[in-house]
Amino acid sequence: MKIKVNTWTVPAYWSWDVENEDVCGICQVAYDACCPTCTVPGDGCPLIWGECSHVFHMHCLIKWLNAPNSQEQCPMDRTPWKTAAAHS
Ligand SMILES: [Zn+2]
Ligand SMILES: [Zn+2]
Ligand SMILES: [Zn+2]
């Protein structure tokens, strides 16, 4: 079977990459939804930014950092986790 590709000029936001930028890297749930331990999105389930620029649900990250194998590293890039200054 031959697949003809006419162009690779796809929009920058279009991607087959499984690492979807819009989902929490820990629970794979969208940032604008709440983490699996919460039922109501919004202020009750805040996001947390790391200095490595990764974003997670705060609850997911706290759970992750409390896990013995996390070694207090970012779960995405395994650099020591540092919470970035709050975004306004
Ligand atoms: Zn999450
Ligand atoms: Zn939550
Ligand atoms: Zn990171």
Side-chain angles (χ1 to χ4, degrees):
M1 191 174 80
K2 197 175 174 196
I3 297 171
K4 195 177 172 200
V5 177
N6 292 321
T7 176
W8 282 109
T9 51
V10 292
Y13 57 82
W14 187 91
S15 173
W16 284 111
D17 203 308
V18 285
E19 269 188 60
N20 192 319
E21 297 290 322
D22 296 328
V23 300
C24 170
I26 297 172
C27 68
Q28 309 297 322
V29 172
Y31 293 134
D32 56 7
C34 58
C35 74
T37 56
C38 294
T39 51
V40 182
D43 293 345
C45 189
L47 299 177
I48 189 165
W49 276 257
E51 287 189 348
C52 60
S53 83
H54 286 124
V55 188
F56 304 100
H57 297 114
M58 188 183 286
H59 300 140
C60 293
L61 188 81
I62 290 169
K63 229 194 300 180
W64 163 254
L65 292 180
N66 285 330
N69 64 343
S70 74
Q71 299 176 338
E72 298 191 10
Q73 294 168 333
C74 172
M76 301 299 278
D77 54 27
R78 289 286 177 168
T79 57
W81 177 264
K82 282 199 191 76
T83 303
H87 286 226
S88 53

